[in-house]
Amino acid sequence: RVARLHAAMAPKKEDPKKSAKSSGGGKAKKKKWSKGKVKEKLSNLVLFDKITYDKMLADVPKLKLIPPSIISEKLKCNGSLARKAVKELLSQKLIRPILTHKSQCVYTRASHQ
């Protein structure tokens, strides 16, 4: 039985072209990492100018949902300035709070009842 298995498996014949190629094994090119997508840097305001302040007083109280992130996007101001704007609108009673949380506060327009 053993003799038959060895006879069935003939030894592989080496190709002289393949043996010359495979001898230099560790020289494959390394994978280059892609740079990834670069997000465009925003140049947001850090202080309100007169035009933006007036726009904030006019447009923001008309919104249905007023988180600081929406104010920041619409008026192109940074987040801390948007939070100050929310406090300003709240003090003028132009908006009212829906949800107050440590990290995110959500407001809505003040409905005059």
Side-chain angles (χ1 to χ4, degrees):
R1 242 182 176 192
V2 176
R4 225 188 289 164
L5 283 176
H6 286 294
M9 294 175 55
K12 291 184 180 178
K13 294 179 182 173
E14 289 191 24
D15 198 12
K17 292 176 185 173
K18 274 189 179 177
S19 62
K21 262 189 184 176
S22 64
S23 62
K27 296 286 183 179
K29 284 190 176 180
K30 285 187 177 178
K31 183 185 182 297
K32 299 278 190 213
W33 287 96
S34 65
K35 298 284 188 268
K37 292 182 180 174
V38 179
K39 193 174 181 185
E40 196 174 305
K41 184 84 173 131
L42 297 173
S43 57
N44 288 342
L45 298 173
V46 291
L47 289 172
F48 277 130
D49 51 359
K50 181 73 174 138
I51 299 161
T52 315
Y53 184 77
D54 292 339
K55 188 177 177 186
M56 182 259 301
L57 289 176
D59 295 347
V60 174
K62 294 175 185 170
L63 298 173
K64 199 167 196 173
L65 187 73
I66 309 167
S69 56
I70 297 291
I71 295 174
S72 174
E73 281 180 26
K74 285 196 179 293
L75 300 178
K76 300 282 187 276
C77 64
N78 67 5
S80 60
L81 193 60
R83 288 193 299 273
K84 297 286 184 197
V86 164
K87 286 181 182 176
E88 176 72 22
L89 292 168
L90 199 60
S91 69
Q92 293 182 17
K93 303 223 186 298
L94 294 172
I95 60 174
R96 64 182 175 87
I98 298 174
L99 171 89
T100 52
H101 188 263
K102 185 182 80 158
S103 57
Q104 178 80 15
C105 298
V106 180
Y107 300 86
T108 189
R109 57 187 169 215
S111 55
H112 301 289
Q113 295 170 347

